[in-house]
């Protein structure tokens, strides 16, 4: 079974400061890991994904995440926050097993960027 | 850029009524999904659909739920007899392939059961 835990339902950062959103996963098989962003009244948009290639993954809008198997973590970072980064961020895991396609989402972290 | 569309954006229905939520996935995608998000809670998987049949479903997806791809472009979720606890945002998603492939999400349908 797969699950993810996102520490911190709300994170506030100042504009220009480092963004760090935490995600820890649990998986009985090698996982695929994803970060999605949700802007108000919109669907989920993929930021980046880890699918067993490079452990440091770069995504859109300057975000990146590092897969650390020893820590079962996949934290999302951005060196310098922008006002437009304010949104809800979801970490998700799926199984690498054939035929197991569904995503298991975390509870989300709402990012607020303070001017 | 191709996108997943969903209609309606908001549906209000009375308890016990049937509702059909509609989705148009991206045209060359082969895998289709429904998820739901109860207000303030996490996004939860309901069902995945591939090759005209359900490939996976969660415990939430009981006999009250059904999915269909009636005409090769639409993908529908039917709830036969709605309950108050079915009130949620329902998201449709589609992907080219399984597991490692990106799932593209629609904007959602907000279902309110009164």
């Amino acid at each position: 079974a797969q699950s993810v835990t996102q520490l911190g339902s709300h994170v506030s950062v100042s504009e220009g400061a480092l963004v760090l959103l935490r995600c820890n996963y649990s998986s009985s098989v090698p996982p695929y890991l994803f970060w999605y962003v949700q802007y108000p009244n919109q669907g989920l948009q993929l930021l980046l994904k880890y699918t067993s290639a490079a452990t440091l993954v770069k995504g859109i809008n300057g975000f990146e995440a590092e897969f650390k198997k020893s820590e079962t973590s996949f934290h999302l970072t951005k060196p310098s926050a922008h006002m437009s980064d304010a949104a809800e961020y979801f970490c998700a895991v799926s199984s690498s097993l054939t035929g197991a396609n569904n995503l298991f989402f975390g509870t989300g972290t709402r990012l607020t960027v303070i001017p | 850029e191709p996108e997943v569309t969903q209609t309606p954006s908001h549906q209000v229905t009375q308890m016990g009524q049937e509702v059909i939520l509609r989705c148009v996935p991206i045209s060359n995608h082969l895998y289709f999904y429904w998820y739901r998000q109860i207000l303030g809670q996490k996004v939860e998987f309901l069902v995945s659909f591939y090759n005209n049949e359900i490939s996976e479903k969660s415990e939430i997806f009981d006999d009250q739920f059904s999915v269909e791809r009636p005409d090769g472009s639409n993908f529908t979720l039917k709830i036969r007899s709605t309950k108050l606890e079915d009130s949620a945002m329902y998201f449709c998603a589609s992907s080219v392939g399984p597991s490692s492939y990106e799932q593209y999400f629609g904007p959602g349908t907000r279902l309110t059961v009164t």
Side-chain angles (χ1 to χ4, degrees), chain B residues 24-43:
Chain B
V24 179
I26 295 173
S27 62
N28 64 333
H29 286 188
L30 302 175
Y31 294 79
F32 314 109
Y33 312 85
W34 283 101
Y35 293 83
R36 78 172 186 190
Q37 184 180 28
I38 295 172
L39 189 63
Q41 298 185 25
K42 67 171 70 175
V43 177

Side-chain angles (χ1 to χ4, degrees), chain B residues 45-58:
Chain B
F45 168 75
L46 293 178
V47 65
S48 61
F49 192 85
Y50 168 69
N51 200 26
N52 284 319
E53 61 183 23
I54 291 173
S55 51
E56 285 184 278
K57 60 182 181 179
S58 71

Side-chain angles (χ1 to χ4, degrees), chain A residues 41-103:
Chain A
N41 301 314
Q42 294 187 28
L44 299 161
Q45 180 184 9
L46 182 71
L47 279 176
L48 49 79
K49 64 179 181 179
Y50 166 77
T51 57
S52 74
T55 56
L56 181 62
V57 182
K58 295 186 184 299
I60 62 171
N61 301 339
F63 284 94
E64 63 181 39
E66 186 171 9
F67 172 71
K68 291 187 177 180
K69 184 177 179 180
S70 61
E71 299 177 10
T72 61
S73 68
F74 190 58
H75 302 328
L76 182 71
T77 61
K78 182 174 180 177
S80 176
H82 191 271
M83 295 299 293
S84 61
D85 295 327
E88 186 101 22
Y89 292 80
F90 293 93
C91 182
V93 63
S94 73
S95 170
S96 56
L97 290 177
T98 300
N101 306 328
N102 52 298
L103 293 169

Side-chain angles (χ1 to χ4, degrees), chain B residues 27 69-74:
Chain B
S27 62
R69 189 155 160 81
D71 56 13
S73 62
N74 291 284

